[in-house]
Amino acid sequence: MVRSEALEQRAAAADSAGGAAADPRVAALRRSVDRVRRELAAHPAELPDRQTAEEELAGMEAMARDGLPELPRLRGALLLVAAALGSVSALAAALAELRQAVELFGDPAGSQPGPPRA
């Protein structure tokens, strides 16, 4: 079985189980994580931080599967994935979708907006 097919089947099985998948934010996160994982698996180039990205994506998938993820952990994982893969233009759209899915969970309590941009 092709790796991306296995990921899709795993996601479909978990979605049918209900639970956290009933939250549209969690469903969007799972879809975006799966997309990045599929596109990364299909990317032929050697990437020095591929393993780091794969580990963080697996962690994000686990957080989504287990319920509502903790936003600081989710953002930390996103930061590591972006650092590992951000220079790969072929993955830019998938990474943007992942960032948007993380942003659906909102700002952490007490966070202050940064200074206005010029």
Side-chain angles (χ1 to χ4, degrees):
M1 179 178 300
V2 176
R3 184 175 177 173
S4 63
E5 290 175 348
L7 290 173
E8 290 173 15
Q9 287 180 352
R10 191 175 341 149
D15 283 343
S16 66
D23 185 328
R25 299 172 302 168
V26 173
L29 177 62
R30 295 187 70 193
R31 281 191 307 273
S32 63
V33 167
D34 286 341
R35 178 181 176 190
V36 174
R37 291 179 89 182
R38 281 192 316 271
E39 291 186 19
L40 179 58
H43 191 67
E46 289 287 325
L47 302 172
D49 294 325
R50 181 186 291 260
Q51 182 176 353
T52 298
E54 289 173 345
E55 290 170 0
E56 292 302 320
L57 289 165
M60 293 174 90
E61 178 185 24
M63 282 188 266
R65 183 181 56 240
D66 293 342
L68 289 178
E70 297 174 31
L71 190 55
R73 287 182 57 208
L74 195 58
R75 286 195 171 161
L78 175 63
L79 182 62
L80 290 171
V81 171
L85 305 177
S87 65
V88 182
S89 61
L91 301 174
L95 289 173
E97 180 183 308
L98 181 61
R99 190 193 92 233
Q100 290 172 346
V102 169
E103 288 177 352
L104 292 175
F105 290 92
D107 289 328
S111 70
Q112 298 295 319
R117 296 185 183 217

